[in-house]
Amino acid sequence: MPSATAHIDLSRLQALLAGVNGFGRNPRTRGFNRIGFSEADMAVRDWFADAMAADGLAVRRDGAANIFGRFGPADGPAIITGSHLDTVPEGGAFDGALGACVALECVRAMRDAGLSPTTAIEVVATAEEEGRFGGMLGSQAIAGQVTQQWIDQARDADGVTLVAAMRAHGLDPCEIMNAARAPSSVRAFLELHIEQGPVLEAAGIPIGIADSVSGISHLFVRLDGTANHSGTTPMDMRADAFAGLAEVAGAIPAVIDEIGGEQSRITIGKVDLTPNAPHTIPGTAEFSVIIRDISEAIMRRLTDRLRSEIAAVAARHNLTSAIEDKSWLPPVALDRELASLLAGEAAKQGIAVRSMPSGAGHDAQTMQALCPSALIFVPSKGGISHAPDEATAWPDIEKGANLLLGTLVSLAV
């Protein structure tokens, strides 16, 4: 147990997560659709804010639609803990939502134990972490890393602008810039998250403590050729945009082998072809390229190399190419002292831990620019995430939640 008086109520935590997952569920696929600034996303935020208010927390929403629930002194710096409630399309039940729910359960456990923090704890549900508009809007706004130019230009893969998406819900995008927190107002940030990978489960270790988080380079690529009849156009006279896309995709393993590293990842995840018809040569291919690594130097080499590959492929296939930089999040080393504190608390509780990098982006990497930040991982069954089969065993969740609780108690009480 984390202390003689405070402990996680697992059934209460399960009920809280089930409440969050009452929003955006697709009964046919079992996936969840709480895309940033969608109806389901805004509804679950209101529900979570009401839950925090019912627990006596002082609740507020900032200009980026981040929701905070403050427990403890009304004035002075705070320790922020939590994660996000939005999902990818057809996402799972645990990614992000678990971290926000565990944070609130930790405060509930402290309150039930009669513990009064001398440093306030703020539970946060960050906005638009999954990158519908590129980046991690909520935590970047808190950390003061959003520019007005980016806000004005940000749009999703379907061409919907961030400005329009926010205004559709009565939100003023001009207020995003006011969400930045002063460094003196935040003492630390702690986030619990599912691993989203297979490492912990394979090793039989219940807890990971992230020492670093991969950066993310998000490119949007357009290849333009000529749409034409698939039966009458000779193969050597085509300007086939899909053939260009396929060649770019096929080059990825060799690029990583040549200039990448063990933590390098390149993914083409979203593709649109025009016309998208069986008897027509595609005239246009639009696709995303996501490049990740824990080394910024390697990320830059990979990004530059992909740009060169795309240009060369376009020339070979009689295509024109255009590349838009959607976002760039550099890799981040997380706070060593907080990681050491987590490891010490885990030892007290008899929990085995593993230090490891995070291949996925998380709010903790952005918050590290503002304050010392730490990231706790619990295992993902089969390493599956961003999919309906995403799952984590509740005994592992309980260990991670008690680790976060014990650490918050040591920092705040």
Side-chain angles (χ1 to χ4, degrees), residues 132-195:
R132 174 185 175 185
F133 298 97
M136 292 181 281
L137 174 63
S139 55
Q140 285 181 287
I142 295 169
Q145 295 184 328
V146 179
T147 66
Q148 189 62 53
Q149 181 183 16
W150 184 88
I151 294 168
D152 294 339
Q153 295 179 350
R155 64 185 63 241
D156 68 11
D158 296 317
V160 178
T161 65
L162 171 62
V163 169
M166 293 185 69
R167 285 180 175 161
H169 297 286
L171 301 173
D172 183 358
C174 295
E175 290 297 315
I176 294 175
M177 299 297 291
N178 296 327
R181 297 281 290 261
S184 60
S185 72
V186 185
R187 185 160 292 173
F189 176 76
L190 293 94
E191 180 177 13
L192 180 142
H193 207 282
I194 60 171
E195 180 197 348

Side-chain angles (χ1 to χ4, degrees), residues 6 15 38 79-80 93 115 125 152 164 204 266 284 311 317 413:
S38 65
I79 297 163
I80 301 180
L115 297 176
D152 294 339
I266 302 176
T284 299
H317 288 270
V413 177

Side-chain angles (χ1 to χ4, degrees), residues 219 302-312 323-325:
L219 304 178
L302 291 172
T303 302
D304 290 344
R305 179 62 174 273
L306 258 293
R307 288 178 178 279
S308 298
E309 289 287 338
I310 290 165
I323 303 174
E324 177 186 352
D325 292 292

